[in-house]
Amino acid sequence: MRFVAAAAVVLCHFSLYIRGNPDFWRNLGQVGVSFFFVLSGFVLTWSARPDSPARAIWRARAAKIFPNHLLVAAAHAGLMLLTGKAIVSAQILPTATLTQSWIPGFNLTTAISPVSWTLSCEVFFYLAFPLLLTQLRRIPPRYLWWAAAALIAVIFTLPVVAQHFVPNGKPMSPLLPYLDNDAWFVGFFPLARAFEFALGMVLARIVAAGKWFQLGMAPATVLFVLGYWLSMGSGLYSFAAATVIPIGMLICAGAVADVEGRPSPLRHPYFVRLGEISFALYLVHKPVIDYGTKLLGIPHFSGMALVDQVVVLTPLFGVALLLAWLLYIGVERPMMRHWARRRPRRSASHRAACRECPARTCPGRPSGADLSGEEDGAERSPAR
């Protein structure tokens, strides 16, 4: 599911070069981002252990996000300098610290690493997660649906607030036909996007408590496609409000199918591997598109024919996949293994005893289990 959502964002950014309904392509990216936000809240809550301290959660999230982000942002900045594109000094610190989404202004939010604004939102979600989880666990199961309804109501209210109470700004771009202040408040402001993350948390508790109604993956997918189709032309509502309900349905249906072990093509090992590199793919695809098309001499809004799209854009997508895989195995996975959790300290006598012990999987010996640091946060069992 993560890979499908990441691929939707990639296709959205490819839309600068292809023909078609701009609403269709733009909404692909917006739905993909909203899907990630709801999914993050869902799986972190699903896998959270009651004894996990907040610092352990923050440590794992920081180990996953910042090494990949800083490396890709530095590479993107280098490409900007090599191609004569100016870097404004005021853009560097907010981008490096992932605080850029708190500052109004589309040019700053998407300056050096254009897609990292979503990480700015995710960092806020992760910081707030331990507190939100504590409050969520206090809600009796019979009131969980009311909590979900309240969050959905707030998400639908945000575009109204933006249109009536946020100061008017200037038009953003042909791809984003909104006023920049309105779009920032609804689409980029971490506090506004946090309601999608919180909804994912509530939905996880609904499923875990057995309060989810029976809805298979097939009907959930149909409802999702229908919701996506109806979201086109919905203006600011297309950022989240128009599709958040079918997104929640699809995620819950997928979770139930996974728990019950139902067959699904998305559980194929190849899709699982693609899901593992989806975060890296999300980070690297934009510079691949921007500088790959520039190298090939393809301008924005060139309106390429279908054959040209396949011939040119498919190899670029392949390059993005290759770089994502290299980033995953070279940076993300090693950083998660070494820094995602603290290793227990053992005395010298304990270490000596472990070296002499023939048992390879005793309780006092590091098991080799890998806290993968994916959004699920689940600890993988070591091979016996």
Side-chain angles (χ1 to χ4, degrees):
M1 280 185 164
R2 282 197 296 265
F3 174 72
V4 173
V9 178
V10 175
L11 289 174
C12 169
H13 290 139
F14 269 135
S15 70
L16 285 170
Y17 305 93
I18 59 182
R19 297 173 183 171
N21 184 343
D23 275 344
F24 176 86
W25 298 107
R26 178 175 61 250
N27 283 21
L28 271 181
Q30 293 172 173
V31 168
V33 169
S34 184
F35 189 96
F36 274 122
F37 288 163
V38 179
L39 183 66
S40 293
F42 187 100
V43 288
L44 283 177
T45 303
W46 184 268
S47 61
R49 289 173 290 187
D51 59 343
S52 294
R55 64 180 179 273
I57 297 171
W58 295 334
R59 181 188 180 98
R61 296 296 91 201
K64 180 178 178 66
I65 286 180
F66 276 98
N68 275 10
H69 158 64
L70 291 174
L71 180 60
V72 174
H76 206 162
L79 288 171
M80 292 172 67
L81 294 174
L82 285 174
T83 55
K85 195 172 182 180
I87 297 178
V88 180
S89 58
Q91 300 170 341
I92 298 175
L93 184 61
T95 301
T97 58
L98 292 178
T99 54
Q100 69 270 44
S101 290
W102 292 93
I103 307 170
F106 182 68
N107 290 334
L108 174 62
T109 306
T110 61
I112 297 175
S113 182
V115 299
S116 66
W117 69 266
T118 63
L119 305 186
S120 181
C121 295
E122 292 277 8
V123 166
F124 172 64
F125 303 162
Y126 298 151
L127 288 173
F129 176 72
L131 176 61
L132 293 175
L133 186 61
T134 300
Q135 300 304 315
L136 176 61
R137 285 172 172 162
R138 294 177 179 175
I139 301 176
R142 64 181 181 275
Y143 293 129
L144 288 173
W145 275 110
W146 289 104
L151 290 168
I152 291 171
V154 173
I155 293 170
F156 270 87
T157 303
L158 291 173
V160 179
V161 174
Q163 290 170 343
H164 291 87
F165 298 101
V166 174
N168 291 329
K170 59 184 180 181
M172 296 179 67
S173 73
L175 183 62
L176 297 168
Y178 315 110
L179 297 179
D180 56 2
N181 288 344
D182 293 350
W184 167 79
F185 180 79
V186 176
F188 297 86
F189 186 33
L191 196 58
R193 302 310 296 258
F195 293 101
E196 294 155 76
F197 179 81
L199 177 62
M201 294 179 65
V202 173
L203 291 175
R205 271 214 61 198
I206 287 174
V207 174
K211 299 294 183 180
W212 181 253
F213 52 88
Q214 291 298 320
L215 180 70
M217 280 291 290
T221 302
V222 171
L223 290 173
F224 173 78
V225 173
L226 178 62
Y228 172 75
W229 186 261
L230 294 175
S231 72
M232 288 189 285
S234 59
L236 293 174
Y237 290 90
S238 63
F239 277 103
T243 54
V244 72
I245 294 175
I247 284 173
M249 289 181 174
L250 186 59
I251 290 172
C252 290
V256 172
D258 196 42
V259 168
E260 296 179 352
R262 299 176 192 169
S264 168
L266 295 181
R267 299 177 65 185
H268 191 280
Y270 288 128
F271 267 110
V272 174
R273 295 294 175 265
L274 289 172
E276 288 177 347
I277 68 169
S278 61
F279 174 53
L281 174 64
Y282 177 77
L283 288 177
V284 303
H285 80 274
K286 193 65 166 63
V288 169
I289 294 173
D290 289 347
Y291 293 94
T293 51
K294 181 175 291 188
L295 184 65
L296 295 171
I298 303 172
H300 283 186
F301 310 110
S302 55
M304 288 190 295
L306 179 60
V307 175
D308 295 331
Q309 295 171 26
V310 174
V311 170
V312 173
L313 302 184
T314 301
L316 288 180
F317 187 73
V319 170
L321 278 177
L322 176 61
L323 291 177
W325 177 71
L326 292 173
L327 184 63
Y328 173 72
I329 65 172
V331 178
E332 183 178 334
R333 190 168 62 183
M335 293 300 294
M336 290 302 303
R337 285 178 173 174
H338 290 288
W339 299 104
R341 60 175 176 174
R342 295 187 63 180
R343 300 176 183 272
R345 293 185 177 180
R346 296 178 294 153
S347 65
S349 60
H350 192 171
R351 291 195 296 270
C354 277
R355 283 194 295 269
E356 299 298 327
C357 178
R360 305 297 295 176
T361 55
C362 66
R365 188 184 189 93
S367 65
D370 172 24
L371 183 62
S372 68
E374 296 295 334
E375 302 299 340
D376 50 37
E379 185 171 327
R380 297 175 182 174
S381 299
R384 297 302 191 201

